[in-house]
Amino acid sequence: MRTTTVVIGAGQAGLAMSWWLARRSIDHVVLERGEVANSWKTERWDSLRLLTPNWQSRLPGYGYQGKDPDGFRTMPETIGFIEEYAQAITAPVRAHTRVTSVRNRGEGYEVATDQGTWQCETVVLATGACNTPVIPSVVEAVPAAIKTLTPLQYRKPDQLEDGGVLVVGASASGVQIADEIQRSGRPVTLAVGEHVRVPRVYRGRDIKWWMDASGVLDQRYDEVDDIVRARNVPSLQLAGYPDRRTIDLNSLTAIGVKLVGRLAGVNAEGKAQFSGSLRNVCALADLKMNRLLDTIDEWARKNGRDGEVAAPERFAFTEVEESPPLLLDFTRGRIKTIIWATGFRPDYSWLDVPVLDHKGFIRHDGGVAQSPGLYLMGLPFLRRRKSSLIDGVGDDARDLSAHLASYLRDRALSRPELIAARG
Ligand SMILES: Cc1cc2nc3c(=O)[nH]c(=O)nc-3n(C[C@H](O)[C@H](O)[C@H](O)COP(=O)(O)OP(=O)(O)OC[C@H]3O[C@@H](n4cnc5c(N)ncnc54)[C@H](O)[C@@H]3O)c2cc1C
């Protein structure tokens, strides 16, 4: 089978790219191992709602039309939205088609799948940033009696045994899961490393409104001082609860969650060891939150918005007990489950193009991989701070499809026989 561009993955990133390719009259298919919105269908817990408001799901040619722009979609609503988009743009999706290898054949790419092989000139990898949970190696020292889960496996508290739960990681997934499990009556200990604290609502407006309006989310990858660091910043401590409540370490402490430092190891006696840095990481998160709020205040003042919104406010510092425990005995049966909310990474085990760095990430410049004709979509800060969000893929797809189109043009000019072969 032959086409000009193979897009791999039918999440929002692959679909947004499909919209732009169609607009540029570039012949393509979208290969998907499951169904449209597969990650939202199969890899999210039941109660999850988007933490981005409804208005902030703008896809190319498609925005929010409903009556609740400030609400937060449930998972069925999110899946419905992405499925509707795929239908509205008549994306050429081939579902249940798993890509098993991509090879650069010099004259183009060969994309092997469990449904046959495609030859093409360009490939867009829109396979997601969160395919594989990142689990610290300390997992090997966890006693077998303790069940361990990742957020990709976690669905709801009832799935867990009664008894204590250690949630490791306090970014978006960790804090939301800790909150839900604690409320189910299972006492939660939360191991807290570096995290990013923000209020849900600031000066009467959603924090995402501020970040969008002030241009923070549009910041480009070639404008920041340290893009490697920017790409690895943890997700915001934020949740899309219908009552718009803020979730942070103080709100978790208030419902009884016990905070400890970063999980550093498990010693020979089966005791978990936590870092003594809890106070410091919390102080740093408070400081960074206030810096963000300062930036917002300055933007509001400079742009004449002060009159439209409430007065600036500052929030209570994160409360940390005087001497947080440094050890937790795993052998006494108090902890029944550990949830590793320690981040995710992409899976490129099927990619046979030599573009991976020593950490297994693709070397690229704003989504243009170091193999001509190969592109990436949907990764954190790929081209902009918003790149991994639903709202961010449209701008990236526009830019990268323009690059792809000019690559095809240049190639055709330098190799006229290809135009003949394409018909
Ligand atoms: C818990 C969680 C909550 C999030 N909440 C929000 C939010 O509130 N708002 C927001 O904007 N973003 C949110 N995100 C971030 C982001 O929007 C999602 O991760 C989203 O799913 C990414 O879309 P994508 O198209 O880049 O990748 P995915 O949706 O992961 O799509 C990639 C597709 O590629 C397919 N695929 C992978 N490998 C292959 C293969 N070898 N062959 C064929 N197909 C393949 C997968 O099946 C999948 O369908 C969240 C992410 C997570 C993990």
Side-chain angles (χ1 to χ4, degrees):
M1 292 173 283
R2 180 172 284 280
T3 186
T4 305
T5 302
V6 167
V7 179
I8 312 176
Q12 76 246 5
L15 295 172
M17 179 53 87
S18 173
W19 189 90
W20 273 104
L21 292 174
R23 181 151 174 169
R24 298 185 193 283
S25 305
I26 297 172
D27 185 37
H28 66 281
V29 289
V30 182
L31 305 182
E32 168 55 56
R33 64 182 172 184
E35 291 166 3
V36 167
N38 193 51
S39 300
W40 298 108
K41 280 182 184 159
T42 62
E43 296 176 351
R44 308 284 187 260
W45 60 94
D46 295 355
S47 67
L48 181 66
R49 284 175 180 262
L50 292 189
L51 51 75
T52 41
N54 289 335
W55 59 263
Q56 202 185 23
S57 295
R58 294 163 291 204
L59 288 168
Y62 208 70
Y64 182 69
Q65 304 293 339
K67 294 196 178 107
D68 185 18
D70 295 322
F72 303 102
R73 287 189 176 93
T74 61
M75 278 309 100
E77 288 165 351
T78 306
I79 293 162
F81 169 72
I82 295 185
E83 283 177 339
E84 276 164 32
Y85 182 59
Q87 275 170 17
I89 66 170
T90 55
V93 176
R94 304 263 177 140
H96 305 291
T97 303
R98 178 184 291 271
V99 172
T100 52
S101 95
V102 176
R103 289 201 168 79
N104 187 342
R105 291 290 188 211
E107 71 281 9
Y109 289 89
E110 184 179 275
V111 179
T113 80
D114 55 6
Q115 306 293 324
T117 299
W118 288 84
Q119 311 294 335
C120 59
E121 288 159 67
T122 47
V123 176
V124 180
L125 308 180
T127 44
C130 304
N131 312 116
T132 314
V134 174
I135 304 176
S137 55
V138 46
V139 65
E140 281 152 32
V142 171
I146 299 180
K147 183 150 194 229
T148 68
L149 285 178
T150 71
L152 299 187
Q153 296 160 322
Y154 173 75
R155 289 291 170 273
K156 55 185 173 186
D158 286 357
Q159 153 198 19
L160 310 181
E161 220 181 300
D162 283 341
V165 178
L166 173 66
V167 177
V168 184
S171 294
S173 298
V175 293
Q176 291 182 38
I177 291 172
D179 182 273
E180 164 166 285
I181 295 176
Q182 177 72 28
R183 287 172 196 275
S184 78
R186 293 165 182 82
V188 171
T189 303
L190 179 63
V192 180
E194 186 196 350
H195 58 276
V196 185
R197 181 185 177 198
V198 289
R200 177 77 262 180
V201 177
Y202 181 60
R203 301 180 69 180
R205 296 274 168 97
D206 195 278
I207 192 71
K208 288 287 185 178
W209 180 86
W210 286 107
M211 293 174 78
D212 182 67
S214 63
V216 170
L217 291 171
D218 286 319
Q219 204 176 8
R220 285 176 53 97
Y221 76 108
D222 44 9
E223 281 170 6
V224 293
D225 292 337
D226 183 352
I227 186 60
V228 176
R229 163 90 191 122
R231 285 183 174 144
N232 286 297
V233 168
S235 59
L236 305 183
Q237 275 179 349
L238 203 58
Y241 298 125
D243 62 2
R244 315 193 81 74
R245 71 187 154 90
T246 290
I247 186 165
D248 59 15
L249 299 181
N250 284 348
S251 76
L252 291 173
T253 305
I255 60 167
V257 171
K258 177 106 184 142
L259 305 184
V260 292
R262 206 171 58 82
L263 178 61
V266 179
N267 69 15
E269 290 100 58
K271 289 185 179 150
Q273 300 166 307
F274 300 105
S275 146
S277 63
L278 181 62
R279 299 184 79 81
N280 287 348
V281 291
C282 292
L284 193 63
D286 290 345
L287 185 87
K288 286 189 179 165
M289 174 174 71
N290 285 338
R291 247 190 246 152
L292 174 69
L293 301 183
D294 288 344
T295 310
I296 286 175
D297 291 341
E298 196 186 328
W299 176 84
R301 190 176 45 75
K302 278 193 185 148
N303 289 276
R305 299 295 191 113
D306 275 341
E308 296 170 18
V309 290
E313 51 190 320
R314 289 296 175 264
F315 300 89
F317 290 116
T318 305
E319 273 177 47
V320 178
E321 65 180 291
E322 201 55 54
S323 307
L326 297 177
L327 293 172
L328 174 61
D329 198 339
F330 276 165
T331 63
R332 301 181 81 180
R334 272 173 47 216
I335 296 293
K336 302 286 187 197
T337 312
I338 299 178
I339 298 189
W340 303 105
T342 33
F344 305 96
R345 57 176 294 150
D347 170 25
Y348 299 123
S349 53
W350 40 270
L351 184 66
D352 296 311
V353 185
V355 283
L356 299 183
D357 66 17
H358 65 286
K359 289 189 170 163
F361 292 99
I362 294 182
R363 289 187 298 267
H364 68 96
D365 180 12
V368 181
Q370 284 184 5
S371 175
L374 185 68
Y375 296 87
L376 297 170
M377 280 286 300
L379 300 184
F381 226 133
L382 183 80
R383 295 186 69 79
R384 296 171 174 83
R385 196 178 290 281
K386 64 184 179 184
S387 287
S388 61
L389 299 178
I390 296 175
D391 207 51
V393 290
D395 285 349
D396 288 2
R398 183 196 59 229
D399 295 355
L400 290 170
S401 63
H403 191 289
L404 185 151
S406 89
Y407 167 77
L408 288 174
R409 254 192 319 273
D410 291 351
R411 209 172 111 93
L413 288 173
S414 65
R415 301 179 62 185
E417 74 279 9
L418 289 174
I419 302 182
R422 254 198 269 158

